[in-house]
Amino acid sequence: MSIDIETARKVAKLARIRVEEERLPALAGEFGAILGFIEQLQEVDVEGVEPMTSVTPMRLKRRQDGVTDGGYPDKILSNAPDAREGFFTVPKVVE
Amino acid sequence: MSDDLADLTIAEARDALRKGETTPTALTEACLGRAEAAGALNAFVHLTPEIAMEQAHAAEARLAAGEAPAMCGIPVGVKDLFCTQGVPSQAASRILDGFRPEYESTVTAQLWRAGAVMLGKLNMDEFAMGSSNETSAYGPAISPWRRQGDATPLTPGGSSGGSAAAVAARLCPAATGTDTGGSIRQPAAFTGITGLKPTYGRCSRWGIVAFASSLDQAGPMARTVRDCAIMLGAMAGHDPRDSTSADIPVPDFEAALRGDIRGKRIGIPREYRMEGMPDEIERLWQNGADMLRDAGAEIVDISLPHTKYALPCYYVIAPAEASSNLARYDGVRYGHRARLEQGDGIVDMYEKTRAEGFGDEVQRRVIVGTYVLSAGFYDAYYNRARKVRTLIKRDFDAAFEAGVDAILTPATPSAAFGLGEVGEDDPVAMFLNDVFTVTVNLAGLPGISVPAGLDARGLPLGLQLIGRPWGEEALLDCADVLERAAGFVARPERWW
């Protein structure tokens, strides 16, 4: 299956990965090779088959909807590339 | 102090410790000494000698008090995918450069509670995506094995390649691994060690950097089946912080090694006999079946008709889940952030950070995952793959319902290959390494790789046994019988 450069550019954008213009043809090629590989799935008769949601037939446990953790902003921020005055800092989002 | 102590298995070390024949400190020093001298293998990427010695002293006190669990005083290595408090944990990715978690993964916390000693963090493929350790930001781990008369550096496999190299080179008796499509079993097979992927939900995933959450499972990598049984006991169990971890008791896995498989039915799936499979692999598989038959098992042919679709199914589901899990690496909360130009906005920050932080393989998978989940393709790819996954699981269900106790297959389609020999210009070629292992993740089953022979060039080959869901006890028992029958004793000659 071949993927055009426009599609590669669009999907990279959706994935929030900057791909330089000259890298796009190679990416489209690799991307197409992988899609070609997974294309085999179209041969399988899946009529009436439920899509798997959980590999073990197990009900997820429920618990009280309560706060069980927290209260340590310093720890939360300790690995941030840029944190100031108790907040994560990012480039301006709203003009 | 002799560094031969580092040659002991977990079971041997435990017995020696309890008899007072050695001490956790002596064992730990022996392992640290070997690890420090093995830089050429690039297996350990962060050593933690201070933590190790502190834990060794604590283990000594517990042993003296006579209340030491089996793992007490046993040095282990930890795959870099596990978050370890205050210790670099970066999933072998540049995007987590400098990340030191404020918390400890449940599996490692349980190991430390059981008295195990952390030697350091082990190399792996970036975000566990790869089968050769070549996608690591640290550079590849190198196998301690070499082809006879040939110094070509070989892969220890992946993604848990550092774990496999360290255990095979006897830098430590055991290491943690994780397995999403074969990442414990394939490296174990490539390096002549034993690796167990437990049933999905047996071990908590909390604090393990997520790749594909419906497939990821932690497990032990060690030199014997018995050691895997002992270590699994310390790793397993319900965790309220992972709602998919099963709330069922953790049995005494070691006690399950009774050595009697008479009357057990072992299935040989005909679809695993691949076209172009090397004769050596075919022969190894046949020998394994003969050994189990000699031990009193009944060998039966079975069919798992959807096997062929397991790899394509995996390469939809795993990237889809990865694209979602890896969305969190945006340069805001932890790890790397790209240097920004004047006027760059937040989207520029995301895109540049992720372009710089993710390696090629991770970028490819995130992009494929984004595509198969995008509007218009979700049904054609993602939903279809989930349906095929149901069919793959049904194949196994039917075999087990028909009375099969375990399934025997080769672990890998070949012995270890040289670094750079596979997948340079074809990203799909590398996927084929997982052809025998990936079905087990899709069906959530336990699987174990046991070293069973050498190829013509002196490299290890492994056999895989697949068990029923939650059937680790019977699986380990069967693997133990196979291990003893195979009598694998080869070890790599030291060159590093």
Side-chain angles (χ1 to χ4, degrees):
Chain A
M1 185 165 171
S2 77
I3 287 289
D4 57 46
I5 290 182
E6 204 38 57
T7 306
R9 182 185 291 121
K10 191 176 134 214
V11 182
K13 186 89 192 161
L14 280 173
R16 296 286 183 267
I17 296 175
R18 177 74 49 99
V19 179
E20 299 307 332
E21 209 52 37
E22 63 270 20
R23 232 321 257 153
L24 277 174
L27 175 69
E30 294 160 6
F31 185 17
I34 296 172
L35 288 181
F37 181 68
I38 63 186
E39 204 60 33
Q40 297 173 59
L41 293 179
Q42 306 304 328
E43 303 166 10
V44 187
D45 180 6
V46 293
E47 189 61 36
V49 178
E50 280 296 306
M52 184 181 284
T53 48
S54 167
V55 74
T56 38
M58 193 170 56
R59 253 180 82 94
L60 285 186
K61 287 179 93 86
R62 296 180 176 195
R63 64 166 173 84
Q64 214 64 47
D65 182 16
V67 177
T68 57
D69 202 3
Y72 37 75
D74 292 351
K75 284 188 175 184
I76 300 296
L77 294 170
S78 68
N79 277 293
D82 190 2
R84 292 175 215 170
E85 298 168 42
F87 294 96
F88 293 109
T89 318
V90 296
K92 195 152 95 178
V93 178
V94 184
E95 287 303 324
Chain B
M1 180 58 62
S2 156
D3 87 338
D4 289 350
L5 281 175
D7 286 339
L8 298 180
T9 63
I10 293 178
E12 290 164 353
R14 170 195 58 189
D15 297 346
L17 287 169
R18 286 183 177 165
K19 283 189 225 147
E21 291 167 1
T22 186
T23 64
T25 310
L27 262 175
T28 302
E29 281 171 349
C31 290
L32 282 172
R34 287 232 182 132
E36 279 161 11
L41 298 176
N42 202 21
F44 277 99
V45 289
H46 302 287
L47 282 170
T48 54
E50 282 162 30
I51 294 174
M53 292 318 290
E54 199 178 300
Q55 288 173 331
H57 289 307
E60 227 147 85
R62 283 174 82 173
L63 279 154
E67 49 99 33
M71 287 300 291
C72 191
I74 307 293
V76 298
V78 176
K79 187 178 183 181
D80 200 36
L81 203 65
F82 292 79
C83 287
T84 43
Q85 193 169 3
V87 175
S89 306
Q90 63 180 88
S93 180
R94 278 190 303 277
I95 211 158
L96 275 171
D97 196 15
F99 179 55
R100 286 173 189 259
E102 293 283 349
Y103 50 88
E104 187 77 28
S105 84
T106 298
V107 162
T108 49
Q110 288 185 186
L111 282 168
W112 316 144
R113 217 173 297 136
V117 171
M118 174 162 75
L119 297 170
K121 302 300 282 289
L122 290 161
N123 208 346
M124 53 180 282
D125 279 293
E126 183 180 7
F127 283 110
M129 298 181 194
S131 301
S132 64
N133 227 275
E134 290 167 295
T135 71
S136 170
Y138 305 113
I142 314 276
S143 177
W145 291 87
R146 285 175 166 179
R147 296 172 184 137
Q148 265 156 16
D150 179 350
T152 308
L154 303 180
T155 177
S159 67
S160 310
S163 304
V167 173
R170 282 142 172 93
L171 312 183
C172 49
T176 64
T178 63
D179 191 316
T180 304
S183 282
I184 286 176
R185 293 159 287 155
Q186 182 255 24
F190 275 9
T191 56
I193 67 165
T194 305
L196 170 69
K197 183 205 91 76
T199 309
Y200 181 81
R202 180 63 90 177
C203 296
S204 168
R205 289 180 294 108
W206 195 84
I208 301 173
V209 174
F211 162 14
S213 305
S214 78
L215 300 161
D216 298 343
Q217 186 61 202
M221 300 174 74
R223 286 199 299 273
T224 66
V225 172
R226 180 170 300 273
D227 284 4
C228 283
I230 295 170
M231 188 164 165
L232 178 63
M235 296 171 72
H238 176 61
D239 175 10
R241 290 188 287 196
D242 174 4
S243 60
T244 64
S245 74
D247 195 0
I248 55 171
V250 178
D252 181 342
F253 295 111
E254 191 186 9
L257 307 182
R258 285 179 287 265
D260 183 4
I261 59 163
R262 280 174 300 174
K264 299 274 187 199
R265 288 163 73 94
I266 309 293
I268 306 289
R270 70 175 69 102
E271 292 79 6
Y272 282 56
R273 191 157 283 120
M274 317 281 295
E275 219 175 291
M277 188 156 85
D279 288 346
E280 305 183 294
I281 302 284
E282 175 82 43
R283 214 159 34 238
L284 179 86
W285 193 10
Q286 185 57 53
N287 289 346
D290 292 343
M291 290 174 205
L292 294 173
R293 186 187 289 112
D294 290 346
E298 184 191 345
I299 306 297
V300 292
D301 281 321
I302 62 167
S303 174
L304 301 168
H306 295 89
T307 298
K308 177 182 169 199
Y309 301 106
L311 270 176
C313 174
Y314 175 85
Y315 276 96
V316 173
I317 289 172
E321 294 186 21
S323 77
S324 167
N325 274 325
L326 271 58
R328 74 191 69 182
Y329 304 104
D330 56 5
V332 176
R333 285 158 298 170
Y334 27 65
H336 177 74
R337 176 187 291 187
R339 187 188 298 273
L340 301 181
E341 305 284 328
Q342 194 71 30
D344 274 352
I346 195 157
V347 174
D348 297 302
M349 182 189 79
Y350 296 151
E351 291 183 349
K352 288 183 174 180
T353 295
R354 290 160 66 81
E356 289 177 10
F358 293 148
D360 290 348
E361 182 65 19
V362 172
Q363 291 194 19
R364 269 197 293 273
R365 296 206 198 181
V366 168
I367 286 172
V368 168
T370 302
Y371 182 78
V372 299
L373 290 177
S374 63
F377 299 101
Y378 186 90
D379 264 325
Y381 289 109
Y382 183 61
N383 263 345
R384 175 167 281 266
R386 291 198 301 143
K387 289 176 184 174
V388 173
R389 187 174 178 188
T390 298
L391 293 172
I392 289 166
K393 181 165 191 305
R394 276 189 200 163
D395 287 352
F396 282 102
D397 289 346
F400 291 131
E401 271 161 30
V404 165
D405 293 290
I407 296 166
L408 180 74
T409 78
T412 56
S414 73
F417 45 89
L419 295 174
E421 281 177 6
V422 174
E424 280 287 87
D425 20 62
D426 178 9
V428 174
M430 192 65 85
F431 298 175
L432 300 177
N433 269 287
D434 292 338
V435 66
F436 299 131
T437 49
V438 75
T439 50
V440 174
N441 300 78
L442 291 168
L445 304 171
I448 188 166
S449 170
V450 175
L454 296 173
D455 78 352
R457 292 190 282 187
L459 297 181
L461 298 170
L463 285 171
Q464 172 178 240
L465 279 162
I466 303 167
R468 294 164 174 258
W470 314 112
E472 281 89 346
E473 291 170 274
L475 177 66
L476 285 159
D477 193 18
C478 192
D480 183 52
V481 168
L482 180 64
E483 173 184 78
R484 272 185 285 130
F488 185 91
V489 291
R491 55 185 282 184
E493 208 168 299
R494 185 161 169 178
W495 54 263
W496 56 91

